[in-house]
Amino acid sequence: GGCSFDEHYSNCGYSVALGTNGFTWEQINTWEKPTMDPAVPTGSFMMVNSSGRASGQKAHLLLPTLKENDTHCIDFHYYLSSRDRSSPGSLNVYVKVNGGPQGNPIWNVSGVVTEGWVKAELAISTFWPHFYQVIFESVSVKGHPGYIAVDEVRVLAHPCRKAPHFLRLQNVEVNVGQNATFQCIAGGKWSQHDKLWLQVKKDASLCEGQVGVRLFSQAPSARTRGQDLKLPGAVRLDVRKPFLMEGVIRARAVGQSPSLEVLMDSLAVAAGVMLGPATYLWIKPNANSIIGDGPIILKEVEYRTTTGNWAETHIVDSPNYKLWHLDPDVEYEIRVLLTRPGEGGTGPPGPPLTTRTKCADPVHGPQNVEVVDIRSRQLTLQWEPFGYAVTRCHSYNLTVQYQYVFNQQKFEAEELIQTSSHYTLRGLRPFMTIRLRLALSNPEGKMESEELVVQTEEDVPGPVPLESIQGGPFEEKIYVQWKPPNETNGIITLYEV
């Protein structure tokens, strides 16, 4: 879902909050109302005009309340411009969780002007029954006239392609006087300069204020990067209320609720049961059937791809455990590790459970589709090659859908493409306007390319209908008339007798 602002923003469930002295977001459509201002982009979008404003004036654009479950992505395009090339202000993005406070921005841009539209991503991880709302905030700067615009806001059903996501946090138990450690792991594409910001909002009755800790990644990782947050064990901290992770890397874990319990002093193997496959897996560790002695004080799940050489281990603190951030349409091998008291009490991994995740919707349709050769009865298409990262499934179809109008009748057809980056569409009619698009589909969904409108070349015209030739003789001439060919195959420029 999302909104491209081709229709009124309220139809998408969006709303605007009127700022100071009328400073607010407005819907602009330059197709219907052209403008002569070169700093205003072309199209239909939401925009604020920061001209003549005092510093610090704010305008808010509110998305509808969202309850997307599990890891997903919100992306959008933004545009900052001015006539004198000075920055028109800043654009901040907030996420309000469960109707709570606005908090700190999880994404922002300021002090720049963009060269056209720029795409940004927000990585969201949320779990039922939590809900959240995304807020776009523009902030003006005195003496800096210009425009801040937002367009093509999309709520996607899959993780972001670039922005990292936080993995689920675990509950922690420690004894009085000991330190507790939450392991904070983010998965995705990292750069050397990415930073994590963990913000813990605590119940005011337990501890006033909030703890802000900046965690710096030291090196990029192909898969995950972990950081530890240590809290003193002298207090009882219950964070079953909003526990938020916000990042300079534009990621936020919404509605994560690990708990820290401070307690007073006071060789096993098993298989697992898979409850439901998707792009994540629900696991029910079977700790009742064991070989060896108890009691069991720790359950862990170890999983790996059947074709890979890496493995990850998660501590299980509930009867059912969700393995997420898995790759779609990939076979995984899952084992359970059990630990009894004492050093060396962890037994070997249990028997494997092998299962495959489901396919996921394609990330996007075919891109950079263009016609590289046009003839009278055929045309050749070319597009950007794509792989598993786009199809998100090893089994998929690529088709070309096209239509045209001939003799006031509409013709539609679809052909299966079995080539990687180009395809020739044959059997077309000459001098015909054809509308076509490519469609990438797998068992879970379909994504289409943008529509192309092309016209085939002219061809030799068909014969003049014999029955249409009429005429008669005169003393010094012969009069002849006829009808055009049934298939002109272009514009008739000359007849010969």
Side-chain angles (χ1 to χ4, degrees), residues 374-376 379 403-407 409 411 428-435 453-458 489-490:
I374 300 180
R375 303 186 184 183
S376 59
L379 58 84
Q403 62 182 33
Y404 59 89
V405 177
F406 179 69
N407 287 341
Q409 285 188 311
F411 294 86
L428 303 176
R429 289 187 175 275
F431 203 61
M432 193 66 57
T433 299
I434 300 176
R435 312 177 77 92
V453 180
V454 298
Q455 187 177 60
T456 51
E457 297 286 344
E458 293 182 301
N489 296 334

Side-chain angles (χ1 to χ4, degrees), residues 240-308:
R240 277 185 281 265
K241 294 200 171 184
F243 186 96
L244 313 179
M245 285 190 294
E246 304 176 302
V248 178
I249 57 172
R250 305 166 191 172
R252 186 170 195 169
V254 177
Q256 298 222 31
S257 53
S259 63
L260 169 63
E261 298 288 347
V262 180
L263 307 178
M264 300 304 294
D265 291 337
S266 49
L267 174 74
V269 292
V273 178
M274 181 194 66
L275 297 183
T279 52
Y280 55 86
L281 297 173
W282 277 104
I283 303 299
K284 184 176 183 179
N286 182 7
N288 297 321
S289 301
I290 66 173
I291 300 174
D293 300 319
I296 304 303
I297 62 170
L298 178 65
K299 290 183 291 184
E300 297 175 285
V301 169
E302 178 189 88
Y303 70 99
R304 71 179 72 218
T305 62
T306 55
T307 58

Side-chain angles (χ1 to χ4, degrees), residues 51-72:
S51 303
R53 297 292 175 179
S55 293
Q57 287 189 258
K58 300 177 180 179
H60 291 130
L61 172 65
L62 293 80
L63 273 64
T65 299
L66 299 171
K67 294 185 178 180
E68 306 296 320
N69 196 19
D70 207 12
T71 298
H72 59 284

